[in-house]
Amino acid sequence: FLALYMNSENVVLNYSNPKALWALVFLLTLWFCRLIILTNRGEAGDPWNFLMKDRASYFYLVLGVIITQAAAF
C-alpha cells in the first residue's frame, strides 16, 4: 500500500523529496521477507513478541525513520 500512496498527490505536498520514500518500500520488503523466513524456520513464534526482542527489527525501524526524515527535509 505504501507504493500506491507514493503515487498520490499528497506525497508531493507532504515531502520535499518523495523519491527517497522508495527506499522505505525496499526496506519494508526486506523486513517482511526476513520475518517470513524466520517464521518458517520456527525461530519466530509470535510475531509481536519476536519483533520486540529482535535487534535487527530495531535497526530497520531506525533506518526507516532516517529515510522518512530524509524525504521530509
Side-chain angles (χ1 to χ4, degrees):
F1 295 111
L2 181 62
L4 294 175
Y5 170 71
M6 290 178 40
N7 289 327
S8 71
E9 295 176 8
N10 293 334
V11 173
V12 177
L13 297 174
N14 293 332
Y15 296 99
S16 62
N17 187 10
K19 290 184 180 182
L21 291 176
W22 282 106
L24 191 60
V25 173
F26 180 70
L27 181 73
L28 285 173
T29 303
L30 288 176
W31 186 46
F32 285 136
C33 288
R34 182 177 182 276
L35 181 61
I36 290 169
I37 289 169
L38 292 176
T39 302
N40 284 336
R41 288 182 186 167
E43 297 176 18
D46 182 30
W48 290 110
N49 287 336
F50 174 75
L51 294 176
M52 292 298 163
K53 296 177 184 176
D54 185 37
R55 287 187 178 183
S57 295
Y58 287 119
F59 173 74
Y60 285 125
L61 176 66
V62 170
L63 196 56
V65 170
I66 291 170
I67 291 169
T68 305
Q69 292 299 318
F73 297 109

